[in-house]
Amino acid sequence: MYQFFYIRKSAKDKTIGTIYEAVFDDRTPIRRVSLKLNIPLKLWDDKNQRVKESDTIPSAQYNHTINQLRLEFLQSNETVPKLNKDCFVAFAMEILEKDYPNPETRKKYRTILNSLIQYANEELKLKTLPVDVLRKLDFIKGYTKWLEQRQYIGRKNEVKKKNKTIFNYLSVVKTFVKEYNEQNPHLDE
């Protein structure tokens, strides 16, 4: 089970929102509860799930309430997921191990995910692949061009990947992106 906080826009005033707590078990929502804390949308830090410092609202009190709920949740759940929320490939590998029992499928998907890490290392000079980088439109173009130039290892003739193979790579990445979006509904797709 995992917990997160998000803000929901008011139907009457589009500049104000209410803070909500959501608890999910895998992909199944367990509860969504309003904290009855109304704040301006611009004062919500979506990345850290906190209220930004401000003189107009009691932000310290609101953040204290959120921290108390987090602490209660952690104490009530001894099995906190160890997902690396920052690295997309770590997330995908965990889903792969959990949801794909076929060893051949695992092997194929692991190869594709390893190519994502290799692309991030070689071209983007990153050790992990943050989801924010994956969201950029240039990422897919760059990854596709990188795949086109890659050659199969262990072959004497220089054989480049076919368009169908590249399409399959992108389809697998899309599958894991869809899974990430389903498990993180509070984030932008």
Side-chain angles (χ1 to χ4, degrees), residues 47-61:
K47 183 178 180 183
N48 297 320
Q49 300 176 13
R50 300 181 59 80
V51 179
K52 295 177 184 173
E53 296 289 325
S54 173
D55 297 332
T56 58
I57 59 169
S59 56
Q61 180 183 353

Side-chain angles (χ1 to χ4, degrees), residues 77-93:
N77 293 312
E78 297 171 0
T79 58
V80 177
K82 296 183 172 48
L83 282 180
N84 184 350
K85 296 279 184 189
D86 297 332
C87 182
F88 173 76
V89 176
F91 167 82
M93 287 289 197

